[in-house]
């Protein structure tokens, strides 16, 4: 075993912060606090998913650099948070998070091998795939589903409601919190503070990308309640952070490229939501994954852009 026992707790914590590509321990602590503020179940199940995914990677002999950097835990974090949101606190949910995080760890390694030659990260694709499969299949199992129904979007309860200033400022923070399925503006603010510890540019990119998502949603006529809930912001946030200095070198053209990516992710959010509507509308972070893969794959073709050193 290349990873020492003392290195596991910080590795698991970084597995939470790496959802937003951050490895700073202060960011990790802020993110963990934010999850518990959102609800104890999100903190517990998010850490459970991160721990299981990280330990699975250790047992299977994944590179110690990936493990200690938290790169093997962030998909497990999101799997844990998503499944407790969908299935509530139950012993079956615990079992699903453990199984899903193990599957996510294996899928992460598979994607690392497949995407490595193209210099493309896995991003949250393992989380998206595992969670989509589990949630779509859940109604077939009574001990999992227990007569539940997927919660409708906020707009279903407030159809035709006019957009307010409250929707705008809360949606700005909710767009950051919804990366972790959190819809309380003050939880999003805690996540933003955590991003600030990762660097002011990261925090600014997240805030502006959330604003981009809001503007796109308004221009295209999205429901006000969904805008206020941050549902059109979070994929734009992840895309904006990824393309603003994280995976694409920072430049004026690079910033415009990141804005284009954030716009694309916001637009694709509606498409993916409608695509999955027959099975519950599980958008997850699919728009971010697809858009950012495409934008990164295209970088070598543009003389004005270059990838950030990794």
């Amino acid at each position: 075993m290349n990873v020492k026992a003392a290195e596991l707790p910080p590795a698991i914590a970084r597995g939470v912060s790496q959802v937003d590509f951050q490895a700073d321990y202060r960011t990790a602590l802020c993110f963990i606090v934010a999850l518990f503020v959102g609800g104890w179940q999100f903190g517990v199940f998010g850490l459970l998913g991160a721990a299981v995914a990280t330990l699975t990677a250790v047992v299977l002999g994944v590179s110690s650099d990936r493990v200690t950097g938290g790169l093997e835990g962030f998909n497990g974090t999101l799997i844990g948070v998503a499944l407790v949101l969908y299935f509530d606190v139950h012993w079956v949910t615990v079992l699903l998070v453990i199984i899903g995080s193990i599957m996510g760890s294996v899928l992460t390694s598979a994607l690392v091998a497949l995407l490595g030659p193209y210099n493309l990260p896995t991003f949250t694709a393992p989380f998206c795939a595992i969670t989509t499969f589990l949630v779509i299949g859940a109604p077939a199992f009574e001990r999992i589903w227990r007569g539940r129904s997927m919660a409708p979007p906020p707009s279903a309860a407030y159809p035709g409601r006019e957009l307010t200033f409250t929707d705008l400022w809360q949606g700005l923070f909710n767009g950051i919190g919804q990366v972790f399925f959190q819809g309380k503006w003050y939880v999003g603010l805690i996540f933003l503070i955590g991003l600030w510890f990762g660097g002011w540019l990261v925090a600014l990119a997240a805030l502006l990308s959330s604003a981009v998502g809001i503007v796109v949603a308004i221009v295209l006529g999205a429901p006000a309640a969904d805008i206020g809930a941050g549902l059109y912001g979070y994929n734009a946030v992840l895309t904006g952070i990824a393309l603003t200095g994280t995976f694409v070198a920072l430049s004026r053209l690079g910033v415009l490229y990141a804005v284009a990516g954030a716009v694309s992710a916001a637009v694709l959010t509606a498409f993916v939501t409608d695509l999955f509507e027959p099975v519950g509308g599980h958008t997850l972070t699919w728009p971010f994954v697809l858009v950012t893969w495409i934008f990164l794959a295209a970088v070598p073709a543009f003389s004005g852009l270059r990838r950030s050193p990794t």
Side-chain angles (χ1 to χ4, degrees):
M1 182 181 296
N2 295 326
V3 180
K4 298 178 181 178
E7 294 176 316
L8 285 176
I12 293 169
R14 290 191 185 100
V16 179
S17 60
Q18 281 288 4
V19 170
D20 281 342
F21 320 111
Q22 306 306 307
D24 190 288
Y25 74 93
R26 296 168 298 180
T27 303
L29 290 177
C30 278
F31 280 20
I32 292 170
V33 168
L35 285 176
F36 276 98
V37 170
W40 69 266
Q41 68 274 26
F42 298 120
V44 169
F45 279 79
L47 286 174
L48 173 63
V52 172
T54 300
L55 290 173
T56 300
V58 171
V59 171
L60 295 178
V62 174
S63 167
S64 60
D65 290 342
R66 286 189 56 84
V67 173
T68 57
L71 296 176
E72 292 295 322
F74 67 92
N75 279 288
T77 298
L78 289 177
I79 289 171
V81 173
L83 294 186
V84 75
L85 173 67
Y86 291 141
F87 305 136
D88 210 348
V89 179
H90 197 267
W91 70 266
V92 175
T93 308
V94 174
L95 182 61
L96 282 179
V97 170
I98 293 173
I99 294 173
S101 298
I102 293 173
M103 294 168 61
S105 181
V106 174
L107 183 55
T108 295
S109 294
L111 288 177
V112 166
L114 290 172
L115 298 175
Y118 304 100
N119 195 24
L120 292 176
T122 66
F123 294 134
T124 54
F127 148 69
C128 288
I130 298 301
T131 304
T132 298
F133 295 151
L134 289 177
V135 176
I136 290 177
F141 303 102
E142 177 57 32
R143 283 196 175 90
I144 297 174
W145 199 241
R146 302 189 305 281
R148 296 175 62 86
S149 60
M150 285 300 169
S155 57
Y158 304 98
R161 181 168 67 79
E162 293 294 324
L163 188 69
T164 66
F165 179 70
T166 299
D167 290 322
L168 295 177
W169 73 263
Q170 290 190 0
L172 193 64
F173 295 115
N174 285 336
I176 298 172
Q178 286 287 2
V179 172
F180 288 84
F181 302 93
Q182 302 303 303
K184 300 172 183 174
W185 69 267
Y186 50 87
V187 176
L189 178 58
I190 299 173
F191 280 117
L192 181 61
I193 294 171
L195 289 173
W196 186 270
F197 285 120
W200 67 267
L201 181 61
V202 176
L204 183 61
L207 199 61
L208 292 180
S209 297
S210 183
V212 167
I214 290 174
V215 171
V216 170
I218 292 173
V219 170
L220 297 182
D226 293 348
I227 294 174
L231 299 186
Y232 284 89
Y234 69 98
N235 278 289
V237 166
L238 285 172
T239 303
I241 295 174
L243 298 178
T244 307
T246 303
F247 296 101
V248 177
L250 190 63
S251 66
R252 292 180 181 177
L253 182 60
V255 170
L256 293 176
Y257 198 62
V259 171
V263 170
S264 301
V267 173
L268 194 62
T269 294
F271 168 80
V272 174
T273 300
D274 287 347
L275 180 66
F276 285 122
E277 185 176 9
V279 289
H282 314 297
T283 311
L284 305 180
T285 54
W286 281 117
F288 149 66
V289 171
L290 298 174
V291 168
T292 310
W293 271 347
I294 291 171
F295 272 60
L296 288 186
V299 167
F302 305 132
S303 60
L305 299 172
R306 61 184 178 85
R307 290 287 300 272
S308 296
T310 55

